[in-house]
Amino acid sequence: MTAPHILVVEDEEHIAQGLVFNLEQEGYQVTHAETGSAAMQIFDNERFDLVVLDLMLPDGHGIDLCKKMRETSPQLPILILTALGEEHSRVKGLQAGADDYLGKPFNLEEFLLRVSGMLRRSNWYQPDLSKNESYQFGRNSVDLKNLQAVTANGIIRLTELEGRMLETFFVHAGDTLTRAELLKSVWGMAEDTETRTLDNFVVRLRKYFEQDPSNPRHFLTVRGRGYRFERSQNE
Ligand code: CA
């Protein structure tokens, strides 16, 4: 197992040193960039598990960097660091796709907790079911690798997104998933995104897989929270 790789983008030397030192003490692999352009160059050539991003950089604003990173890495956890009196940047940063923020000056322990929490969640969001070629529930058999399902209604070709959503449900069978968790897992979006799309997807899955879509046994609505997938229900 390799240590999570973290990119620290921070131009203030003493802060950067402290962050790098403490992250390394925690066992992470850390790469440091002092400018936005240096960060983007490294970012395009290496794989990272998390980015710590200062917003005020000598050659531009961290928000633009955040947007660029999001274009290619929708699921990458990004933690932004904002200076005192920059509350508006915090909001802008979150809108640009950052997952969380810390205001400077921050407590080091809190910073490390934030990082480990974000890494944990991001692992959660990338379930690995690809080795299990087919998944059975009810009268259905789903092949996630080839995006094909055999159902009581015949053979169905699944879209990439449908596959990803099914995978998320299967991995967390029996657990209630909030809309935010599903959106993040399937679309890589923040929770304030339009949730109608998500509901429409669930309707579609019910049509494919439920004997009676209006009285679902597998893809259940959990009122006020989200959805829950149940593998075996008495039919
Ligand atoms: Ca700075």
Side-chain angles (χ1 to χ4, degrees), residues 10-12 54-58 104:
E10 169 63 79
D11 58 311
E12 281 162 81
D54 179 38
L55 287 188
M56 298 304 272
L57 295 167
K104 288 178 181 175

